[in-house]
């Protein structure tokens, strides 16, 4: 059993394989074989996830394919191989691979996409929120970096077209900062749940130095970009991303299921953008974090290729956008809710079948009580 991503036996099995002399390609090949063996079991995909079109097999394969670094790819392969207990086709191995995939699905992809529905900056500090907004819009020249439209509140009369602009967050948080907590220093777990951070740190190969930088920049202009509202919401929902180009601070706009023109109020001016914060050295406003943009692009790609993004949308629509588990970003409670809903529906379906059978049986008994009418025979002349 794998009770959590951080269980000691599981970590030991990962480390044993990670530190082995086997090449990453060999480990990936063995991991793919194990995925195929586990997914061949009819019990591999739980019913509560099947009803929304989930595919854990595809998710694991896409995570291997889209791993952003050799370390990440080796980590995913070793984590999958660490699920093996006994024979490759054993039920315990299948259960472990399933649990691992669900943990990754829920605590990384579901948590990030769900957190992006309303933006990541909590509303407890309106002063901070307004300060970041002013910094970001100033840095980006009072324009949406995607479409080029001007902010109607700040644009000159001859600057057209105009629209309502705001900042879009690059990385969401999977926990809410407690405003009543007056401690002066925060740590990364004030912004990410333990499970989400553990997966993110390993998969994105985040070093201790990067962790310190992330902690400093999560509540700053480095984690925000000026966009018109439709584009910003699509960006926070990982429907498109900004992938690094060869030129520093230049990024290519990459849309996935929809074209970028369908995701914005006004079609973009071009298919790539450049951040020009360096042109305002005296302002001290940081450019969007390349690390944050890389994480966002990786998650966007996996959500699309694995179809997990569609599944998450269906799950959240089923639960309702105001459901408490969504507001708390509590995946485990969401999973229990979905499992309970599935059980109740099966129970009612079974009850309805029994009622139909009983009514059918009663109608047959009633039919048997009615005397049969003998057909009239014609007289033979």
């Amino acid at each position: 059993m794998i009770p959590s991503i951080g269980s000691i036996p599981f970590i030991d099995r990962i480390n044993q394989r990670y530190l082995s002399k086997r090449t990453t390609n060999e480990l990936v090949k063995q991991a793919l074989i194990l995925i195929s063996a586990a997914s061949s079991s009819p019990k591999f995909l739980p019913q509560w996830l099947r009803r929304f079109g989930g595919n854990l097999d595809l998710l694991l394969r896409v995570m291997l394919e889209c791993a952003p670094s050799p370390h990440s790819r080796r980590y995913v392969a070793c984590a999958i191989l660490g699920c093996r207990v006994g024979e490759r086709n054993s039920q315990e191995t299948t259960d472990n691979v399933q649990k691992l995939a669900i943990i990754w699905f829920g605590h990384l992809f579901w948590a990030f996409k769900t957190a992006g529905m309303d933006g990541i900056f909590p509303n407890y500090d309106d002063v901070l929120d307004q300060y970041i907004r002013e910094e970001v819009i100033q840095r980006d020249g009072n324009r949406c970096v995607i479409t080029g439209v001007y902010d109607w509140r700040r644009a000159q009369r001859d600057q057209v077209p105009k629209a309502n602009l705001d900042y879009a967050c690059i990385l969401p948080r999977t926990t809410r900062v407690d405003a009543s907590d007056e401690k002066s220093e925060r740590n990364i777990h004030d912004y990410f749940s333990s499970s989400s951070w553990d997966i993110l740190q390993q998969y994105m190969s985040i070093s201790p130095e990067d962790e310190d930088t992330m902690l400093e920049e999560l509540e700053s202009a480095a984690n925000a970009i000026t966009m018109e509202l439709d584009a910003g919401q699509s960006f926070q929902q990982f429907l498109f991303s900004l992938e690094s180009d060869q030129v520093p601070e230049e990024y290519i706009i990459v849309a996935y299921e929809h074209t970028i023109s369908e995701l914005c109020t006004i079609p973009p001016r071009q298919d790539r953008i450049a951040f020009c914060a360096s042109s305002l050295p005296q302002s001290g406003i940081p450019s969007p974090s390349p690390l944050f943009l890389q994480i966002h692009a990786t998650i966007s790609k996996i959500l699309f290729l694995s179809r997990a993004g569609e599944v998450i949308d269906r799950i959240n629509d089923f639960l309702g956008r105001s459901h408490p588990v969504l507001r708390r970003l509590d995946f485990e409670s969401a999973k229990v809710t979905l499992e309970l809903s599935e059980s109740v529906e099966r129970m009612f379906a079974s009850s309805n079948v029994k009622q139909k059978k009983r009514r059918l049986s009663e109608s047959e008994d009633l039919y048997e009580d009615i005397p049969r009418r003998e057909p009239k025979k014609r007289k033979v002349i």
Side-chain angles (χ1 to χ4, degrees):
M1 298 290 288
I2 300 178
S4 73
I5 195 69
S7 62
I8 294 176
F10 180 55
I11 292 176
D12 288 342
R13 291 198 294 270
I14 292 178
N15 290 335
Q16 182 181 0
R17 288 168 173 81
Y18 190 87
L19 298 175
S20 69
K21 295 182 179 180
R22 299 171 67 183
T23 66
T24 298
N25 287 337
E26 290 175 340
L27 293 170
V28 169
K29 184 177 179 180
Q30 291 299 314
L32 291 172
I33 293 173
L34 190 61
I35 292 171
S36 297
S39 61
S40 64
S41 169
K43 296 182 179 180
F44 180 66
L45 186 63
Q47 186 60 35
W48 67 265
L49 190 55
R50 186 191 304 274
R51 68 184 298 190
F52 297 107
N55 191 332
L56 297 178
D57 173 13
L58 181 60
L59 176 64
L60 294 175
R61 293 176 184 275
V62 170
M63 287 186 69
L64 280 169
E65 179 184 346
C66 297
S69 71
H71 164 81
S72 306
R73 198 159 182 254
R74 190 175 182 89
Y75 159 73
V76 174
C78 291
I80 294 169
L81 292 174
C83 296
R84 181 171 178 174
V85 179
E87 295 297 325
R88 183 185 299 147
N89 295 320
S90 69
Q91 189 59 49
E92 186 174 2
T93 297
T94 298
D95 291 344
N96 286 344
V97 176
Q98 180 203 75
K99 288 180 174 65
L100 177 67
I102 290 176
I103 286 171
W104 280 343
F105 169 82
H107 291 282
L108 181 60
F109 301 107
W110 179 86
F112 270 56
K113 187 168 174 62
T114 302
M117 288 195 304
D118 299 318
I120 64 170
F121 287 101
N123 296 323
Y124 72 86
D125 194 339
D126 292 334
V127 175
L128 176 63
D129 182 71
Q130 184 61 28
Y131 177 75
I132 293 173
R133 178 177 292 105
E134 292 297 328
E135 271 202 334
V136 173
I137 295 179
Q138 177 191 350
R139 179 197 66 195
D140 297 334
N142 298 331
R143 304 182 76 178
C144 169
V145 299
I146 303 298
T147 63
V149 299
Y150 291 91
D151 181 32
W152 69 272
R153 290 162 296 190
R154 299 169 176 83
Q156 302 296 323
R157 180 174 298 180
D158 59 340
Q159 292 178 328
V160 291
K162 300 179 177 68
N164 191 14
L165 305 187
D166 205 340
Y167 65 83
C169 303
I170 304 172
L171 280 192
R173 305 182 189 122
T174 62
T175 60
R176 301 296 182 188
V177 177
D178 185 2
S180 63
D181 189 354
E182 298 180 355
K183 64 182 180 182
S184 57
E185 293 186 5
R186 298 192 183 277
N187 61 55
I188 201 68
H189 296 297
D190 289 316
Y191 301 99
F192 298 101
S193 68
S194 297
S195 296
S196 296
W197 175 248
D198 181 69
I199 302 167
L200 182 66
Q201 184 181 34
Q202 296 295 334
Y203 191 66
M204 296 303 303
S205 304
I206 298 174
S207 66
E209 294 76 17
D210 289 336
E211 179 179 340
D212 293 338
T213 302
M214 287 182 67
L215 190 58
E216 293 176 2
E217 294 183 339
L218 272 168
E219 286 188 308
S220 76
N223 192 29
I225 304 174
T226 305
M227 294 187 189
E228 54 93 0
L229 300 186
D230 287 345
Q233 182 60 25
S234 298
F235 183 76
Q236 291 183 161
Q237 282 289 282
F238 300 93
L239 298 180
F240 75 92
S241 63
L242 301 176
E243 294 192 3
S244 178
D245 199 357
Q246 300 298 326
V247 182
E249 293 192 346
E250 286 197 6
Y251 294 85
I252 301 171
I253 302 173
V254 180
Y256 296 97
E257 185 176 357
H258 305 278
T259 65
I260 189 63
S261 297
E262 294 174 319
L263 300 175
C264 303
T265 303
I266 298 175
R269 298 171 296 171
Q270 50 195 7
D271 62 355
R272 63 185 62 225
I273 62 173
F275 295 108
C276 303
S278 56
S279 63
L280 299 171
Q282 72 282 3
S283 68
I285 304 175
S287 300
S289 165
L291 175 60
F292 291 174
L293 288 169
Q294 181 194 12
I295 294 172
H296 182 279
T298 301
I299 292 176
S300 299
K301 186 181 297 183
I302 294 173
L303 284 171
F304 171 68
L305 293 177
S306 68
R307 299 198 293 273
E310 298 177 23
V311 175
I312 292 168
D313 286 337
R314 294 188 194 115
I315 288 174
N316 291 346
D317 288 341
F318 175 81
L319 292 172
R321 297 302 174 105
S322 60
H323 198 288
V325 298
L326 300 190
R327 310 304 301 180
R328 298 196 307 267
L329 296 176
D330 185 353
F331 173 72
E332 294 302 325
S333 295
K335 182 162 71 74
V336 170
T337 302
L338 295 171
E339 289 172 339
L340 181 60
S341 173
E342 178 65 27
S343 299
V344 170
E345 289 187 10
R346 282 204 309 268
M347 181 182 67
F348 276 105
S350 176
S351 176
N352 290 337
V353 170
K354 290 180 180 179
Q355 289 179 5
K356 287 181 180 179
K357 287 183 177 179
R358 186 171 63 252
R359 286 197 296 268
L360 181 60
S361 176
E362 290 174 352
S363 64
E364 289 176 350
D365 293 341
L366 180 62
Y367 179 75
E368 290 178 356
D369 293 339
I370 299 175
R372 294 185 178 181
R373 181 179 299 176
E374 295 294 335
K376 291 183 178 181
K377 295 182 179 180
R378 293 179 180 271
K379 292 182 179 181
V380 179
I381 300 177

